[in-house]
Coordinates of all heavy atoms in Angstrom, one line a residue:
N259 N 299.5 23.9 149.8 CA 299.6 24.8 150.9 C 299.7 24.2 152.2 O 299.8 24.8 153.3 CB 298.3 25.7 150.9 CG 297.0 24.9 150.9 OD1 297.0 23.7 151.4 ND2 296.0 25.4 150.5
G260 N 299.8 22.8 152.3 CA 300.0 22.1 153.5 C 298.8 22.0 154.5 O 299.0 21.6 155.6
K261 N 297.6 22.4 154.0 CA 296.5 22.4 154.8 C 295.6 21.1 154.7 O 295.5 20.6 153.6 CB 295.6 23.6 154.5 CG 296.2 24.9 154.9 CD 295.2 26.1 154.7 CE 295.9 27.4 155.1 NZ 295.0 28.6 154.8
M262 N 295.0 20.6 155.8 CA 294.2 19.5 155.7 C 292.8 20.0 155.3 O 292.3 21.0 155.9 CB 294.2 18.8 157.1 CG 293.2 17.6 157.2 SD 294.1 16.1 156.6 CE 295.1 15.7 158.0
V263 N 292.2 19.2 154.4 CA 290.8 19.5 154.1 C 290.0 18.3 154.1 O 290.4 17.2 154.1 CB 290.8 20.0 152.5 CG1 291.5 21.3 152.4 CG2 291.3 18.9 151.6
E264 N 288.7 18.5 154.5 CA 287.7 17.4 154.5 C 287.2 17.2 153.1 O 286.9 18.1 152.3 CB 286.6 17.9 155.5 CG 287.0 17.9 157.0 CD 285.9 18.2 157.9 OE1 284.6 18.2 157.3 OE2 286.1 18.3 159.0
V265 N 286.9 15.9 152.9 CA 286.4 15.4 151.6 C 285.2 14.6 151.9 O 285.2 13.7 152.7 CB 287.5 14.6 150.8 CG1 286.9 14.3 149.4 CG2 288.8 15.4 150.8
K266 N 284.1 14.9 151.1 CA 282.8 14.2 151.4 C 282.6 13.2 150.2 O 282.8 13.5 149.0 CB 281.7 15.1 151.5 CG 281.8 16.0 152.8 CD 280.6 16.8 152.9 CE 280.7 17.7 154.2 NZ 279.5 18.6 154.4
N267 N 281.9 12.1 150.5 CA 281.4 11.1 149.5 C 282.5 10.8 148.4 O 282.1 11.0 147.2 CB 280.2 11.7 148.9 CG 279.1 12.1 149.9 OD1 278.9 11.4 150.9 ND2 278.4 13.3 149.8
S268 N 283.6 10.5 148.8 CA 284.7 10.3 147.8 C 285.5 9.0 148.3 O 285.6 8.7 149.4 CB 285.6 11.4 147.7 OG 284.9 12.6 147.3
V269 N 286.1 8.3 147.3 CA 286.9 7.2 147.5 C 288.2 7.1 146.7 O 288.2 7.9 145.7 CB 286.1 5.8 147.3 CG1 284.9 5.7 148.3 CG2 285.6 5.8 145.9
I270 N 289.1 6.3 147.0 CA 290.2 5.9 146.2 C 290.0 4.4 145.6 O 289.6 3.6 146.4 CB 291.5 6.1 146.9 CG1 291.8 7.6 147.1 CG2 292.7 5.4 146.2 CD1 293.1 7.8 148.0
L271 N 290.3 4.3 144.3 CA 290.0 3.0 143.7 C 291.4 2.3 143.6 O 292.5 2.9 143.2 CB 289.5 3.1 142.4 CG 288.1 3.8 142.3 CD1 287.6 3.9 140.9 CD2 287.1 3.1 143.2
D272 N 291.5 1.0 143.9 CA 292.7 0.2 143.9 C 293.3 0.2 142.5 O 292.7 -0.2 141.6 CB 292.4 -1.2 144.4 CG 293.6 -2.0 144.8 OD1 294.6 -1.3 145.2 OD2 293.7 -3.1 144.8
G273 N 294.6 0.7 142.5 CA 295.4 0.6 141.3 C 295.0 1.6 140.2 O 295.7 1.8 139.2
V274 N 294.2 2.6 140.6 CA 293.8 3.7 139.7 C 294.6 4.9 140.1 O 294.3 5.7 141.0 CB 292.3 4.0 139.7 CG1 292.0 5.1 138.7 CG2 291.5 2.7 139.4
T275 N 295.7 5.2 139.3 CA 296.7 6.2 139.7 C 296.8 7.2 138.4 O 296.6 6.8 137.3 CB 298.0 5.7 140.1 OG1 298.6 4.9 139.0 CG2 297.9 4.8 141.3
C276 N 297.4 8.3 138.7 CA 297.7 9.2 137.7 C 299.0 8.7 136.9 O 300.0 8.6 137.5 CB 297.8 10.7 138.2 SG 298.4 11.9 137.0
E277 N 298.8 8.6 135.6 CA 300.0 8.1 134.8 C 300.8 9.3 134.2 O 301.8 9.1 133.6 CB 299.5 7.1 133.7 CG 298.8 6.0 134.3 CD 299.6 5.1 135.2 OE1 300.8 5.0 134.9 OE2 299.1 4.6 136.2
C278 N 300.3 10.5 134.3 CA 300.9 11.7 133.9 C 301.3 11.6 132.3 O 302.3 12.1 131.9 CB 302.2 11.9 134.6 SG 302.0 13.0 136.1
F279 N 300.4 11.0 131.6 CA 300.7 10.9 130.1 C 300.4 12.3 129.5 O 300.8 12.5 128.4 CB 299.8 9.9 129.5 CG 300.2 8.4 129.7 CD1 299.4 7.5 130.3 CD2 301.5 8.1 129.5 CE1 299.8 6.2 130.5 CE2 302.0 6.8 129.7 CZ 301.1 5.9 130.2
F280 N 299.8 13.3 130.2 CA 299.6 14.6 129.7 C 300.7 15.5 130.1 O 300.7 16.7 129.7 CB 298.3 15.2 130.1 CG 297.1 14.3 129.6 CD1 296.4 13.4 130.4 CD2 296.7 14.4 128.2 CE1 295.4 12.7 129.9 CE2 295.7 13.6 127.7 CZ 295.0 12.8 128.6
A281 N 301.6 15.1 130.9 CA 302.8 15.9 131.3 C 304.0 15.6 130.5 O 304.4 14.5 130.3 CB 303.1 15.6 132.8
F282 N 304.6 16.7 130.0 CA 305.7 16.6 129.1 C 306.9 15.8 129.8 O 307.4 16.4 130.8 CB 306.2 17.9 128.6 CG 307.3 17.9 127.6 CD1 307.1 17.5 126.3 CD2 308.6 18.3 127.9 CE1 308.1 17.4 125.4 CE2 309.6 18.3 127.0 CZ 309.3 17.9 125.6
G283 N 307.2 14.6 129.4 CA 308.3 13.8 130.0 C 307.8 12.9 131.0 O 308.6 12.0 131.4
G284 N 306.5 13.0 131.5 CA 306.0 12.1 132.4 C 306.5 12.2 133.8 O 307.4 13.0 134.0
C285 N 305.8 11.6 134.7 CA 306.1 11.7 136.2 C 305.8 10.3 136.8 O 304.7 9.7 136.4 CB 305.3 12.7 136.8 SG 305.4 12.6 138.6
P286 N 306.7 9.7 137.5 CA 306.4 8.4 138.1 C 305.7 8.2 139.4 O 305.7 7.1 140.0 CB 307.9 7.8 138.2 CG 308.7 9.1 138.6 CD 308.1 10.2 137.9
R287 N 305.3 9.3 139.9 CA 304.7 9.3 141.3 C 303.5 8.4 141.5 O 303.3 7.8 142.5 CB 304.3 10.7 141.8 CG 305.5 11.5 142.2 CD 305.0 12.9 142.6 NE 304.3 12.9 143.9 CZ 303.9 14.0 144.5 NH1 304.0 15.2 143.9 NH2 303.3 14.0 145.7
K288 N 302.8 8.2 140.4 CA 301.5 7.3 140.5 C 300.6 7.7 141.7 O 300.3 7.0 142.5 CB 301.9 5.9 140.6 CG 302.5 5.3 139.3 CD 302.6 3.9 139.3 CE 303.3 3.3 138.0 NZ 302.4 3.6 136.8
E289 N 300.3 9.0 141.8 CA 299.4 9.5 142.8 C 297.9 8.9 142.5 O 297.5 8.8 141.4 CB 299.3 11.0 142.8 CG 300.6 11.7 143.3 CD 300.6 11.6 144.8 OE1 300.0 12.4 145.5 OE2 301.4 10.7 145.3
F290 N 297.3 8.5 143.6 CA 295.9 8.1 143.3 C 295.0 9.1 142.8 O 295.1 10.3 143.2 CB 295.4 7.5 144.7 CG 295.9 6.2 145.1 CD1 296.7 6.0 146.3 CD2 295.7 5.1 144.3 CE1 297.2 4.7 146.7 CE2 296.2 3.8 144.7 CZ 297.0 3.7 145.8

Side-chain angles (χ1 to χ4, degrees):
N259 60 22
K261 293 184 178 182
M262 181 80 78
V263 295
E264 292 186 3
V265 187
K266 294 183 178 180
N267 306 320
S268 301
V269 296
I270 284 175
L271 302 179
D272 196 24
V274 182
T275 59
C276 175
E277 301 300 322
C278 269
F279 285 127
F280 295 105
F282 186 69
C285 167
R287 280 180 76 178
K288 292 188 179 294
E289 289 284 282
F290 284 118

